[in-house]
Amino acid sequence: MFVRTPKFIQLLFPSAIWKKETSSKELWLTFDDGPEEIVTDFILDTLKKLNIKASFFLIGEQIVKFPELTKKILENGHFIGNHSFSHIHGYFNKNEKYIYDIEMGQKIINEKAVEMGIEKSNIFRPPFGRITSSQIKLLKHKYKIIMWDVFSWDFKKKISKKRLFNNVTKNISAGSIIVFHNNNKSYNNLVESLENILIELKKQGYSFSTTW
């Protein structure tokens, strides 16, 4: 169970962004999945309380289901990216189907950007972090493919508060891209730990960026 993504895995997919180059103590806070009732509101309230901006990688069919939550994410000044339309797995689907699903997700995100009068996003995160070299080759000219170097494991049912806290706070460095989840599996763990984790990161002198 990797928390920090090993270098050898990062080297397998050099076209993807695993960590941001920065000379400042900046972090990139990301939330995968959603939007989802209750969970998204909790995350947004916590971020607002601490004056932190984040990037939300949203699922197209969830945007369709909860358009007002998507609008709320954007109104709160956060950034949204494409997490496909149906949370499709890159390893288990042919390229044609995989790319189509991503394009469907992007279409919905673009429509929301036009509706809100904001710049369209071109960032994509593969569901499950699973993507093949051929899929990257097909996508990299249109999208910035965003992976991560710190994975919180917040959706693990039996993860302790201490373990979740340490997964993030003990493994970050300048430029780290951190993954949390915006779904029901993560909700209880987020309620217990998210605010404390973010307070600690701020205590360590980190700021948060959504510039990709």
Side-chain angles (χ1 to χ4, degrees):
M1 189 170 88
F2 296 122
V3 175
R4 289 191 63 85
T5 307
K7 288 294 183 183
F8 78 89
I9 293 179
Q10 297 183 34
L11 291 171
L12 290 174
F13 303 102
S15 297
I17 298 172
W18 296 90
K19 190 175 182 179
K20 291 287 288 182
E21 293 290 333
T22 179
S23 57
S24 304
K25 289 191 73 173
E26 290 181 296
L27 301 172
W28 276 255
L29 181 64
T30 70
F31 292 88
D32 285 3
D33 306 336
E36 185 62 69
E37 286 183 315
I38 302 176
V39 189
T40 301
D41 278 324
F42 168 76
I43 294 170
L44 291 176
D45 289 345
T46 303
L47 295 175
K48 185 175 183 178
K49 180 179 180 180
L50 298 175
N51 193 27
I52 290 172
K53 302 303 181 188
S55 298
F56 288 75
F57 288 90
L58 302 180
I59 299 169
E61 60 188 7
Q62 291 296 108
I63 296 174
V64 172
K65 191 174 180 180
F66 300 112
E68 291 305 311
L69 281 176
T70 307
K71 183 179 179 181
K72 188 175 180 180
I73 292 170
L74 293 168
E75 286 176 339
N76 276 261
H78 303 293
F79 199 80
I80 64 172
N82 185 350
H83 202 42
S84 81
F85 180 79
S86 66
H87 208 258
I88 193 169
H89 198 300
Y91 290 0
F92 302 144
N93 289 277
K94 292 182 178 180
N95 289 355
E96 183 178 0
K97 181 178 179 181
Y98 185 73
I99 300 301
Y100 178 77
D101 197 87
I102 293 162
E103 290 296 293
M104 284 292 292
Q106 190 64 35
K107 180 176 182 291
I108 291 166
I109 287 173
N110 288 346
E111 288 172 353
K112 185 60 64 174
V114 170
E115 176 189 331
M116 297 288 292
I118 61 173
E119 185 178 353
K120 294 178 182 178
S121 163
N122 71 332
I123 60 173
F124 166 69
R125 173 170 286 158
F128 311 100
R130 300 293 187 259
I131 190 169
T132 67
S133 296
S134 62
Q135 289 161 356
I136 287 179
K137 187 176 181 180
L138 291 167
L139 290 168
K140 67 180 182 179
H141 299 295
K142 183 173 181 178
Y143 299 97
K144 292 180 181 178
I145 300 170
I146 311 298
M147 301 300 272
W148 60 83
D149 72 319
V150 177
F151 197 78
S152 69
W153 292 98
D154 56 334
F155 58 86
K156 284 290 184 180
K157 188 174 182 179
K158 295 183 178 180
I159 194 168
S160 69
K161 288 172 64 175
K162 182 178 180 180
R163 179 68 178 274
L164 179 53
F165 183 88
N166 288 339
N167 278 355
V168 179
T169 63
K170 303 296 186 184
N171 288 288
I172 45 88
S173 57
S176 282
I177 301 171
I178 306 166
V179 177
F180 287 99
H181 289 81
N182 178 19
N183 61 36
N184 290 323
K185 287 183 179 179
S186 297
Y187 178 62
N188 289 335
N189 289 329
L190 291 176
V191 169
E192 290 189 340
S193 300
L194 180 61
E195 183 172 346
N196 289 335
I197 289 170
L198 297 179
I199 288 172
E200 174 61 23
L201 296 180
K202 293 186 82 170
K203 282 182 179 178
Q204 292 182 24
Y206 287 100
S207 60
F208 298 85
S209 177
T210 57
T211 301
W212 294 103

